[in-house]
Amino acid sequence: MKRLVLLLSVLLVACSNDNAPDVSSEAAAADARQTLQQAASTDGKALYVACAGCHGAQGEGNVALSSPSLANQQTWYLERQLLGFRSGLRGSHPEDGYGAQMQAIAKTLPDDNAVKAVVGYIATFKAKPAAKTLDGNIKRGADYYSNLCGSCHGPAAEGNELLQAPALAGVDDWYLLKQFNHFRDGVRGADESDRYGYQMGMMGKILPDDDIANDVIVYIQSLAD
Ligand code: HEC
Ligand code: HEC
């Protein structure tokens, strides 16, 4: 019994850690906000200094800080997400600790011009191979992907600006799975005024179980090869 209690409390800590930023990422966030308070809103490169501590000097991402790669993502999507963080549409759910952290940083960007300038600088980064940390049944993932996801995200998960559905191929797999689960659980996209997030929120409930969600992400990663 004692063992079970111990196991349960370890699991609880593990779960809460997933959503609560640790000391090192809180320190990086404080540094970033300080840097942003001093940067000019037109200088994308100077603004990006504040982002590099978590997302990497070339937008390569950092799994230890739960920070996704930005280098492979489309600029219209990056811009819309930053504006969503700024307005509070994203990162406001009480269980979205990392989203809240990113929201505070986005709000410290001096103004909306600064959003454009920093995304313009990110667009100069070379694409990088996405992190592959998951294994699964690619064939089963492919079937579910083509039936349920491809109509919006594109047959090669290349994204579709008209539908505002981002590229998924080339984005770190751990991040895709985490975001998918956040949509499923209403941690992201639960607010109806978050037009595109809400659409994806409904899709988060469409896959029957965790194993299949895992397989779909593994398939998406295979498309970036
Ligand atoms: C303290 C670490 C930290 C710093 C500094 C930081 N970010 Fe983030 N960022 C994150 C985390 C963590 C996430 C993932 C949030 C989530 O899980 O929803 C994120 C998410 C994002 C996203 C959404 C990507 C997507 O595909 O959904 C964008 C865009 C972004 N950050 C841009 C920036 C920019 C631009 C800066 C600099 C002005 C910056 N970030 C600074 C930690 C950071
Ligand atoms: C009706 C169109 C639509 C369908 C179908 C759809 N999505 Fe999405 N998806 C979106 C939109 C729009 C967004 C952007 C949401 C936002 O702006 O917050 C998105 C975002 C995502 C993200 C977050 C990416 C990131 O970098 O933050 C993931 C992961 C995702 N979708 C996976 C899937 C999977 C897996 C399926 C199939 C089960 C699927 N989607 C089906 C429209 C769709």
Side-chain angles (χ1 to χ4, degrees):
M1 185 61 195
K2 237 185 187 167
R3 269 206 175 151
L4 184 67
V5 170
L6 188 70
L7 180 71
L8 281 176
S9 51
V10 168
L11 280 175
L12 273 177
V13 170
C15 293
S16 59
N17 276 353
D18 183 44
N19 285 331
D22 66 12
V23 184
S24 55
S25 67
E26 286 296 15
D31 282 354
R33 290 201 302 275
Q34 204 174 19
T35 307
L36 285 176
Q37 273 153 7
Q38 286 145 14
S41 69
T42 47
D43 189 345
K45 192 174 176 185
L47 291 165
Y48 190 79
V49 171
C51 323
C54 294
H55 292 285
Q58 294 294 310
E60 65 274 26
N62 182 337
V63 64
L65 298 175
S66 290
S67 305
S69 55
L70 301 175
N72 299 355
Q73 196 48 275
Q74 287 144 318
T75 53
W76 54 264
Y77 183 68
L78 295 174
E79 204 174 307
R80 193 163 60 70
Q81 293 310 303
L82 284 170
L83 293 173
F85 282 122
R86 275 170 81 76
S87 71
L89 272 186
R90 184 169 169 190
S92 293
H93 190 283
E95 279 164 41
D96 192 3
Y98 281 103
Q101 187 182 60
M102 188 53 225
Q103 185 188 100
I105 292 166
K107 284 183 165 160
T108 318
L109 278 163
D111 53 31
D112 288 358
N113 287 333
V115 170
K116 273 199 182 328
V118 78
V119 169
Y121 183 68
I122 294 170
T124 66
F125 297 153
K126 285 199 194 70
K128 57 126 233 169
K132 289 191 184 186
T133 62
L134 307 172
D135 283 320
N137 181 337
I138 293 198
K139 164 93 182 59
R140 186 166 72 157
D143 289 345
Y144 277 94
Y145 181 85
S146 351
N147 287 327
L148 300 172
C149 322
S151 54
C152 289
H153 290 282
E158 72 278 22
N160 182 333
E161 184 173 2
L162 214 60
L163 301 174
Q164 291 290 306
L168 302 175
V171 180
D172 296 330
D173 58 2
W174 58 266
Y175 184 69
L176 291 177
L177 190 58
K178 181 173 175 183
Q179 294 305 312
F180 184 81
N181 290 338
H182 277 183
F183 283 117
R184 181 198 61 199
D185 299 340
V187 173
R188 183 175 166 191
D191 183 346
E192 274 184 62
S193 55
D194 178 5
R195 186 172 166 197
Y196 297 107
Y198 191 72
Q199 272 177 16
M200 181 57 215
M202 291 188 290
M203 292 304 138
K205 298 184 179 49
I206 212 168
L207 293 178
D209 60 43
D210 286 353
D211 283 349
I212 292 172
N214 177 85
D215 292 347
V216 169
I217 305 294
V218 170
Y219 170 68
I220 290 169
Q221 284 301 66
S222 76
L223 293 169
D225 290 340

